[in-house]
Amino acid sequence: MTVPLREGLAVAEGVLGAGLLLMPPVAAGLAGGAAPWAWAFTLGTGTLFCLAIGALALSRTGPGSLAEVTGRALGPRAEDAVTALYLAGFTVGQAAIALAAWRLAAAGLGTGTGQAAWWALLVPVLATGFAARGVLPPAGWRRARPAAAWLLAVVLCADPALLSAAGLVPGGGHRWWAAAFLLLFAGVGWERVARIAPGLAGLRRTAAAVLTGALLVTAACLVPALWLRAALPPSPGAPGPVTRTAAVAAALLLATYCATNIEAAGSFLLRLRHRWGRGAAPAVAARQTVPERQAVPERVTVPRPSGPSPAPGPATHHAGPASPHAESLPALTEPALPSARTAVRTTGPASPLPETPTAPTEPAATAAGPSALSAVRTAAPTSPLPEAPTTPAVSTPATAGSAAAAALSAARTTAPTSPLPEAPTTPAEPAPATALTAGPSARSAVHTTAPASPLPEAPATPTEPAPATAGSTGPSARPAAAAARATVGVGVAVGVLLCGAGAFGWSVTGLLGGPAVATWAAYLLGGAAALRAGPAAARIPAVPAVAALAVCGIAAVLTL
């Protein structure tokens, strides 16, 4: 079996991120020399959880986010709970990232970090503005950010004096469980395997991808952690220019993470509003302009002349001398419609161009619509078609549907009373059909003669306005406007948290507790979903993962 390196890299990209810059000094300050063991515990728990979720998505639920996979296994309330936990964790986490970014920039520039919490408000303000307008790092840069974060973390951990000046190395020294719990902030992203596993060929391939990704994550996290352990305590003296430059670059990199994470938190908020019936769906694309469908003339009731109606009969009529006593002719009866449609289809559509003379036995259609059908119906190559004695039809006022009866009457009065003439005839150009022609036979005639005389159409009116432009308020702009409002709402919440940090002196370590708690609870729900709905391959790693999460949470509460 080949090693699925591409899938393993995808898993590692989901885990590695801003935590590479923040968590090595935090874990070293809380756990002291035991920080690598805290890393190993958290990474082992994340690997087991990743195996359980990957097997669950592969065998039961299909691809999706952790919220979607949990919802398919435990119900919609569990999905809403996971989404709400991610919303809270991402919001508080961006306050910690913004505060750390400004502290690193201030330490690198040598301006001091006394009022860092207030100046850090600039980070979410700019990040929210760019995210609301859709100005985010391209996909290629996002894939390269973990490598850049790892390189900067190695440079900063080699000279921990600047990290201490930025306030990222807390005191404590022996709170091992607290360090392991806060490291869950750096471990969020293991659930990305739920989108990758269904595309792999079987559980073995999924397990190989997870283990490959776990090895990459472990190597990336333990290298700066061990490097920092060897460099502590920091040597006296000012940081060098390389370290200062790396600090400023790390601050800018954290600002890009803040922008993309605020946008992601806005999508969580929008999804919750949609689920609770107070907003538009986040996945709704802008509706495109669709022209209104051409209206088809509806069947109109044709008033019949007074007198008894003739019984339905065959489509042909007997010829004879004209009679001056008939008042009018009945309209085309319904039983003759199928034969009329068949005759029109067999003769093909009429052409507006002049045609060669037809055979002597084929009469020409003199008009479109029912009269053309009657003329075609009277054409019989084997025997002459006599007509019943008729008189010229009395003209009636033009009403809806009267065109059919008038055309039929004209065709009968002008029909020959003797066998069909042998001289060739030239087919006349069909008259254009109007929207007043009633009945199914009229519709068939209009459709069959469309190339010669198209139905007059009114210009189609779009059912939706054109795609929205800058400043547009049409329906197509609503999903984008709703997403922008949700992003701004998350940015405002981040700003409020930073104001609280400035007013009450909250540290980066204290703010990191929020996303750690959210990740811990979300992973517990995901483990419960694997235990309830997953196969044996999902339940086996889910049991130790859920147990480790429970023990870590209880111990962290007791030691904080």
Side-chain angles (χ1 to χ4, degrees):
M1 182 180 63
T2 60
V3 177
L5 184 58
R6 180 181 299 179
E7 291 79 6
L9 284 173
V11 173
E13 287 176 4
V15 179
L16 301 177
L20 284 173
L21 293 167
L22 300 183
M23 297 316 298
V26 171
L30 291 176
W37 295 105
W39 277 100
F41 176 84
T42 304
L43 293 174
T45 304
T47 303
L48 293 173
F49 176 79
C50 189
L51 288 170
I53 293 299
L56 175 64
L58 177 66
S59 304
R60 295 290 188 270
T61 62
S65 63
L66 180 62
E68 293 170 344
V69 170
T70 305
R72 293 165 192 165
L74 301 180
R77 292 186 178 180
E79 180 179 355
D80 293 344
V82 173
T83 304
L85 287 171
Y86 270 88
L87 173 61
F90 269 66
T91 303
V92 182
Q94 303 329 297
I97 290 177
L99 182 58
W102 190 262
R103 284 183 175 275
L104 283 173
L109 297 174
T111 58
T113 59
Q115 300 294 327
W118 298 106
W119 285 106
L121 286 170
L122 293 176
V123 178
V125 167
L126 295 176
T128 302
F130 285 119
R133 296 182 63 87
V135 183
L136 296 172
W141 169 242
R142 294 190 192 189
R143 287 192 296 267
R145 280 190 305 183
W150 184 81
L151 289 174
L152 293 174
V154 170
V155 173
L156 292 175
C157 289
D159 189 3
L162 189 142
L163 295 175
S164 299
L168 299 180
V169 183
H174 299 286
R175 292 186 290 175
W176 188 88
W177 286 108
F181 185 81
L182 290 182
L183 283 176
L184 289 172
F185 171 80
V188 64
W190 290 107
E191 65 276 7
R192 188 175 185 180
V193 71
R195 300 186 182 275
I196 303 171
L200 299 178
L203 291 172
R204 290 187 178 182
R205 187 80 174 177
T206 302
V210 171
L211 294 178
T212 303
L215 289 175
L216 295 174
V217 171
T218 302
C221 293
L222 287 182
V223 167
L226 293 174
W227 197 271
L228 182 61
R229 180 187 179 186
L232 287 175
S235 58
V242 176
T243 307
R244 290 180 180 274
T245 303
V248 175
L252 294 176
L253 185 62
L254 289 175
T256 65
Y257 274 110
C258 189
T260 53
N261 291 340
I262 286 178
E263 190 267 343
S267 67
F268 295 145
L269 177 60
L270 197 61
R271 188 177 307 169
L272 285 177
R273 292 184 62 187
H274 169 63
R275 297 272 298 179
W276 295 340
R278 287 187 289 177
V284 174
R287 288 177 285 182
Q288 300 181 357
T289 303
V290 180
E292 189 176 291
R293 191 173 64 178
Q294 176 66 29
V296 178
E298 302 215 355
R299 185 169 181 174
V300 182
T301 304
V302 180
R304 296 185 178 274
S306 59
S309 301
T316 58
H317 304 275
H318 299 283
S323 173
H325 302 288
E327 293 183 357
S328 62
L329 291 175
L332 188 64
T333 55
E334 193 68 30
L337 293 178
S339 60
R341 296 193 187 100
T342 305
V344 173
R345 292 194 189 100
T346 55
T347 56
S351 172
L353 301 176
E355 297 183 0
T356 56
T358 58
T361 56
E362 294 184 7
T366 58
S371 61
L373 302 183
S374 301
V376 172
R377 216 183 287 121
T378 56
T382 55
S383 61
L385 304 176
E387 284 194 6
T390 56
T391 59
V394 179
S395 59
T396 56
T399 58
S402 62
L408 182 60
S409 174
R412 289 177 179 168
T413 55
T414 58
T417 56
S418 59
L420 296 174
E422 298 185 2
T425 58
T426 301
E429 182 177 355
T434 62
L436 295 178
T437 305
S441 60
R443 296 193 190 107
S444 301
V446 169
H447 292 318
T448 53
T449 59
S453 54
L455 185 67
E457 296 182 1
T461 303
T463 56
E464 297 289 349
T469 58
S472 174
T473 57
S476 60
R478 292 172 187 168
R485 288 194 299 269
T487 302
V488 172
V490 173
V492 171
V494 173
V496 170
L497 289 172
L498 286 175
C499 291
F504 301 103
W506 296 342
S507 64
V508 174
T509 305
L511 289 174
L512 287 175
V517 171
T519 305
W520 176 77
Y523 278 15
L524 279 179
L525 286 174
L531 290 174
R532 179 176 179 180
R539 291 194 296 268
I540 291 174
V543 171
V546 171
L549 287 170
V551 171
C552 182
I554 295 173
V557 170
L558 295 178
T559 56
L560 282 177

